[in-house]
Amino acid sequence: MTMEPLTEQRNVTGPLVFGFLRLVGVSPSRQQALAKAIADYCRRHELTLAAVYMERCTATSCAFVGMLDAVAVTRPYGVIFPAPSHLGPKAIAADRRSRLSAAGTEIILVRGGQPGAASDSTSASATGGVRS
């Protein structure tokens, strides 16, 4: 009789998530570190990272709109941001929070304040975590 490997030893996929980086004026090495932080977070929390969207300028939000399109099609568990500042400036962040909430996806922060409330400051410093 052959024993089956434990679940921890199998390639089991976790809930699907997307990553999002706001990279206005960010060096390539910082970009790599932020992308790695998202990937490491997913690995630690057994999440399947489908893609990381990157916004590189303040004039357009093509990356965010593209991510919303992917969210609408795939219905992922959530979107991971390294910190609240990656949602954008306060007015933009509030709109993005409401759009993600309307899409039925969680906002997950690697570090920083609770993302759920639209009145949260994008520079809040708290323990971080997943919106309940």
Side-chain angles (χ1 to χ4, degrees):
M1 176 175 180
T2 305
M3 292 182 58
E4 290 289 321
L6 298 172
T7 302
E8 291 80 10
Q9 296 172 340
R10 292 183 180 187
N11 289 328
V12 178
T13 59
L16 184 69
V17 294
F18 290 103
F20 189 85
L21 298 172
R22 187 168 183 272
L23 301 169
V24 178
V26 172
S27 70
S29 61
R30 179 72 177 146
Q31 176 182 323
Q32 288 176 344
L34 290 166
K36 184 177 182 321
I38 289 175
D40 289 345
Y41 182 91
C42 290
R43 196 171 15 268
R44 283 192 315 273
H45 295 279
E46 299 178 351
L47 300 169
T48 301
L49 183 61
V52 177
Y53 289 83
M54 299 180 189
E55 179 176 81
R56 291 190 167 85
C57 66
T58 59
T60 63
S61 62
C62 293
F64 190 80
V65 171
M67 183 188 65
L68 282 178
D69 289 345
V71 164
V73 171
T74 61
R75 299 286 185 201
Y77 171 72
V79 177
I80 301 178
F81 298 86
S85 61
H86 286 266
L87 281 158
K90 195 171 188 174
I92 292 171
D95 177 60
R96 288 179 173 183
R97 283 187 193 99
S98 66
R99 286 177 165 208
L100 289 168
S101 177
T105 190
E106 296 291 323
I107 295 173
I108 304 167
L109 299 176
V110 172
R111 61 179 174 78
Q114 293 297 322
S119 62
D120 285 350
S121 168
T122 57
S123 61
S125 61
T127 57
V130 177
R131 182 179 70 175
S132 300

